[in-house]
Amino acid sequence: MDLSPFETDNSVSCRLASQIPDVCKTEDCCLGIDEAGRGPVLGPMVYGICFCPVSKKGDLKNLKVADSKTLTEAEREKLFQNLDEARNYVGWALQILSPNTISTSMLQRTKYNLNALSHDTAIGLVQYALDSGVQLKEVYVDTVGPAEKYEDKLSKLFPGIDVTVRPKADSLFPIVSAASICAKVARDRVVKGWNFAEDLGEVDADYGSGYPNDPKTKAWLLKYLDPVFGYPQFVRFSWSTAQTLMDSKAVTVHWDDDEEDGEKSAQRQKNRSMLSYFGASAGGNDQNPTHQTHRFLTERRLTSLNTL
């Protein structure tokens, strides 16, 4: 599994895929869908599909695939290796949703919640398989939201394909278990080898499970919270855990609006108005030669203004 396309820029989402087995282009196939990393506040969410000919369901079952959450990391890696060695009849594809993609989607003006993002990602992966020539006849999905509604939605989008959506599908259908393993292996590798674009020095990798209720994860979030610029892009800043810490530990900013005078309102709250950053400095045009501009500003080519 070559993760370099995502590692090159882990601020955006990325699709990875195996070669399509020739037999999958000529025989009726089944496909499973599952995800890894829906709940953590750290790292990406990875959606995976796995597909094989219907005639090979028995062979897939003999590989002893199981729900990835019931397996150790070593067991998942071994099973993924088995799937890779069965590449003459097993194919897979992954969509890695970066933490930045997840958070900006959820916080944009037109709300795009995690369920909608999950549905659209799964739909996109099924369409990718069809566009690649896979002869899909059966699709099995681990549900997100009400199973009946999701099944009806997918059935209407993909007429002629028998769609089955169930809770805990990764423990019911081996093809979904295989997708679960692919997704979980990819997420584990991405998280373990995360390339921090921010200048954080030697990063403490002991961040626990990444789930919001994990004490190690909370401690890591506190340690790497910048009071002005927030979190590195490894963090899903839309999660309530991250937002609560920013509200309590980060610098308060008053955003001017049309309802009242911004400068007076900011002074009343013992804060600085955003407008103050656009005025001429008291020292004139001379810049402090020892001052280093934050990378957030330099990457976006933002500079201070002395006049408007």
Side-chain angles (χ1 to χ4, degrees):
M1 183 186 295
D2 180 14
L3 296 172
S4 59
F6 177 72
E7 292 171 338
T8 300
D9 183 1
N10 57 26
S11 68
V12 297
S13 296
C14 178
R15 179 173 295 166
L16 307 175
S18 69
Q19 293 292 319
I20 307 295
D22 289 338
V23 68
C24 291
K25 298 180 181 180
T26 58
E27 291 191 23
D28 290 350
C29 292
C30 59
L31 178 147
I33 306 174
D34 200 10
E35 51 75 23
R38 179 181 173 85
V41 66
L42 302 179
M45 178 169 71
V46 181
Y47 252 84
I49 60 171
C50 196
F51 48 89
C52 74
V54 173
S55 63
K56 293 288 188 178
K57 281 184 177 181
D59 293 344
L60 182 68
K61 187 175 182 179
N62 290 337
L63 293 179
K64 306 298 183 184
V65 291
D67 175 7
S68 66
K69 294 185 288 294
T70 67
L71 304 169
T72 66
E73 183 177 355
E75 288 171 334
R76 289 192 295 268
E77 287 284 348
K78 180 63 172 67
L79 286 170
F80 179 76
Q81 182 180 341
N82 293 345
L83 290 170
D84 187 52
E85 291 172 355
R87 66 179 73 93
N88 63 319
Y89 68 91
V90 174
W92 53 265
L94 303 170
Q95 189 74 29
I96 304 177
L97 299 171
S98 70
N100 193 50
T101 296
I102 295 170
S103 293
T104 53
S105 296
M106 295 177 67
L107 295 179
Q108 66 186 12
R109 185 179 295 275
T110 303
K111 297 302 181 185
Y112 187 37
N113 65 36
L114 195 60
N115 279 5
L117 180 61
S118 297
H119 283 197
D120 289 347
T121 302
I123 291 165
L125 285 169
V126 173
Q127 190 61 54
Y128 164 79
L130 290 169
D131 292 343
S132 299
V134 179
Q135 300 299 303
L136 289 184
K137 294 300 178 185
E138 301 173 3
V139 169
Y140 299 90
V141 188
D142 194 19
T143 193
V144 174
E148 289 184 7
K149 289 184 177 180
Y150 193 14
E151 184 173 296
D152 183 59
K153 179 180 181 178
L154 293 174
S155 296
K156 289 178 178 177
L157 285 171
F158 301 107
I161 297 177
D162 184 16
V163 178
T164 301
V165 179
R166 295 287 185 276
K168 307 294 184 183
D170 46 3
S171 62
L172 299 174
F173 308 106
I175 195 67
V176 182
S177 302
S180 172
I181 289 166
C182 293
K184 181 62 174 169
V185 166
R187 175 177 152 81
D188 285 349
R189 293 182 183 182
V190 166
V191 168
K192 186 177 293 185
W194 188 266
N195 178 29
F196 287 86
E198 301 81 9
D199 185 12
L200 302 177
E202 187 173 344
V203 179
D204 181 5
D206 188 17
Y207 33 70
S209 65
Y211 281 87
N213 59 354
D214 187 326
K216 285 188 176 181
T217 300
K218 287 184 177 179
W220 193 94
L221 288 170
L222 277 171
K223 182 176 182 179
Y224 289 100
L225 171 60
D226 186 288
V228 176
F229 296 101
Y231 288 109
Q233 291 185 353
F234 186 52
V235 178
R236 302 179 192 177
F237 53 85
S238 59
W239 257 230
S240 60
T241 302
Q243 290 183 338
T244 299
L245 289 174
M246 284 192 286
D247 288 343
S248 61
K249 302 296 183 181
V251 174
T252 302
V253 175
H254 174 76
W255 297 96
D256 296 299
D257 55 35
D258 296 329
E259 295 179 4
E260 59 180 331
D261 183 271
E263 293 287 353
K264 291 181 180 178
S265 175
Q267 290 173 6
R268 187 165 61 252
Q269 298 178 47
K270 296 181 180 181
N271 196 7
R272 291 187 67 181
S273 165
M274 288 298 294
L275 293 178
S276 66
Y277 292 93
F278 294 94
S281 63
N285 296 329
D286 293 335
Q287 298 286 329
N288 182 351
T290 63
H291 174 73
Q292 288 189 335
T293 304
H294 195 279
R295 62 178 290 274
F296 180 91
L297 302 175
T298 57
E299 287 179 356
R300 291 159 178 80
R301 297 182 175 86
L302 299 177
T303 57
S304 299
L305 294 178
N306 292 324
T307 58
L308 289 176

